[in-house]
Amino acid sequence: MEKTYYAPASIGNFSVGFDTLGLALSPVNGELLGDRLAIATAAKHSTKSKLVVAGRYRHQLPTKSQDNLVLRCWTAFRRLVAKPLPELNFTLQKELPVGSGLGSSACSVVVTCYGLNHFFAEPLTTMELLNLMAEIEGGVSGSVHLDNVAPAFLGGMQLMTPSLDEPALKLPWFSHWSVVVSYPGTVINTAMARQVLPATIALPTTVRAAKNLASFVSGLYTENEALALNALEDTIAEPYRQPLIPKLASLREQAHRLGIHHLGISGAGPTLFALCTDDEQARQAQQLFENHYHTNADAMTHHCRVDLSGARLLVSEEAPNAIS
Ligand SMILES: Nc1ncnc2c1ncn2[C@@H]1O[C@H](COP(=O)(O)OP(=O)(O)OP(=O)(O)O)[C@@H](O)[C@H]1O
Ligand SMILES: N[C@@H](CCO)C(=O)O
């Protein structure tokens, strides 16, 4: 028997919160936009766990199974739990493009760690799980940042905090807001996109970024939509990453002409997102991206609302396998 788990795609940074904000995504048409992972106990005398990869973006993953984040998470999980665990069979449905800006590696890390913890009747606390996910994801992208892991795991719009006890907290969200995300089909490696950033940021820029983030968060809490919308500006990463996304300026200009409030870089890119306050804006944004941003068959554009659930069990056929 097997259990199938899911973790949603996410928008890291959300323009105004570099490494500090992350939004989990759920397509409005009811489809899933994220990775699915089936976990089953291997045959009794199996000596090693096995991974099968399927899905639209399986061709973008490492050819060696042991390099896949699913098995890297399994190794780290069993080391942390430090109790005898059976070998497992995994099937990863890879539906998020690698190096996309949609939190693809975080999605695989979250769905695997969450799934393993559920499969073995929760030997790790939520905090232990979050720290494990952050450590593994950080190893991939070059530095620990929770702005994809936290929303993929916990759902909603997540604000990262300096607190060790509560490193992320769910923010309010305007229920009529939606985002159209568009992946062009090209790749930007997150570690590389972090290397183009300067080691220090000028004081005026830092002050402006603080004002923007504080205003955005205040606008969400006080339901002051204009305050939140007017704060959406990326003064930290975009000035250095725009050369990696040459079409950004022209697409933003066309989006503003269509009355779309904000167009920003999703995470480290190349995915872009358009923040929409009604369905007509979303329709226009979808058309703009599909006509002017898609570059190959890997490209995709989705109209999404916030995914409030985060990582979850999709299919279960028996009680969790408690560790003896
Ligand atoms: N299951 C997996 N899903 C995604 N990436 C994986 C997986 N297993 C191994 N990898 C490797 O992890 C690295 C992820 O790199 P990177 O962080 O740039 O991509 P990403 O997390 O997909 O980016 P983004 O967060 O912008 O979507 C790639 O080299 C990829 O080959
Ligand atoms: N916040 C990180 C990754 C987000 O996906 C960055 O911008 O490098």
Side-chain angles (χ1 to χ4, degrees):
M1 299 294 185
E2 70 179 19
K3 296 170 192 65
T4 301
Y5 301 92
Y6 171 74
S10 58
I11 295 175
N13 304 334
F14 209 76
S15 296
V16 71
F18 179 74
D19 281 3
T20 307
L21 289 177
L23 179 73
L25 300 173
S26 176
V28 298
N29 62 9
E31 288 175 9
L32 293 175
L33 182 62
D35 287 352
R36 273 170 282 157
L37 182 71
I39 303 177
T41 305
K44 203 149 181 67
H45 302 299
S46 298
T47 56
K48 65 183 287 191
S49 297
K50 292 188 177 62
L51 168 65
V52 171
V53 179
R56 180 176 176 188
Y57 296 100
R58 64 186 179 281
H59 63 285
Q60 296 183 344
L61 294 176
T63 48
K64 293 180 184 169
S65 284
Q66 65 266 26
D67 293 336
N68 195 297
L69 284 167
V70 170
L71 292 187
R72 288 161 55 181
C73 287
W74 174 219
T75 302
F77 180 87
R78 65 193 318 179
R79 186 183 307 128
L80 188 58
V81 168
K83 290 181 178 177
L85 297 176
E87 297 304 331
L88 299 174
N89 290 333
F90 298 95
T91 303
L92 173 67
Q93 195 77 20
K94 191 64 192 173
E95 298 301 334
L96 273 194
V98 171
S100 60
L102 286 168
S104 176
S105 58
C107 224
S108 281
V109 168
V110 167
V111 75
T112 305
C113 293
Y114 172 85
L116 288 167
N117 205 47
H118 180 276
F119 193 82
F120 290 113
E122 299 181 7
L124 301 181
T125 65
T126 298
M127 273 313 300
E128 286 170 329
L129 213 44
L130 189 60
N131 288 329
L132 176 63
M133 294 168 179
E135 181 194 328
I136 298 166
E137 166 69 6
V140 169
S141 58
S143 55
V144 174
H145 51 87
L146 280 169
D147 55 331
N148 288 120
V149 164
F153 178 31
L154 304 168
M157 169 63 96
Q158 290 285 330
L159 169 71
M160 309 320 129
T161 77
S163 160
L164 294 177
D165 299 328
E166 191 178 22
L169 59 95
K170 195 176 278 187
L171 296 179
W173 181 253
F174 289 102
S175 57
H176 64 287
W177 279 11
S178 67
V179 289
V180 176
V181 288
S182 186
Y183 168 64
T186 52
V187 173
I188 292 182
N189 175 277
T190 303
M192 183 275 286
R194 292 180 78 85
Q195 283 161 6
V196 304
L197 302 179
T200 58
I201 299 279
L203 185 57
T205 306
T206 308
V207 171
R208 184 173 179 93
K211 286 178 178 178
N212 285 336
L213 179 56
S215 300
F216 182 71
V217 173
S218 174
L220 294 182
Y221 274 108
T222 60
E223 297 183 4
N224 184 335
E225 187 174 29
L227 178 64
L229 289 172
N230 292 333
L232 284 169
E233 174 193 23
D234 179 350
T235 58
I236 302 290
E238 185 178 309
Y240 304 94
R241 287 176 171 172
Q242 182 151 7
L244 305 175
I245 306 176
K247 291 187 178 176
L248 175 57
S250 66
L251 285 167
R252 176 174 285 149
E253 191 186 324
Q254 294 176 72
H256 284 165
R257 279 206 297 271
L258 294 168
I260 294 162
H261 291 273
H262 179 70
L263 188 147
I265 302 174
S266 176
T271 293
L272 298 178
F273 74 93
L275 176 61
C276 303
T277 55
D278 64 40
D279 285 347
E280 176 53 22
Q281 288 174 21
R283 191 188 64 75
Q284 299 261 21
Q286 184 129 10
Q287 200 170 45
L288 173 68
F289 284 133
E290 286 172 352
N291 293 342
H292 300 288
Y293 199 43
H294 285 198
T295 60
N296 59 39
D298 278 345
M300 62 173 176
T301 295
H302 287 276
H303 179 202
C304 299
R305 298 216 183 279
V306 62
D307 180 314
L308 292 171
S309 307
R312 52 194 181 263
L313 174 68
L314 286 184
V315 177
S316 168
E317 293 169 332
E318 62 178 350
N321 297 272
I323 304 167
S324 53

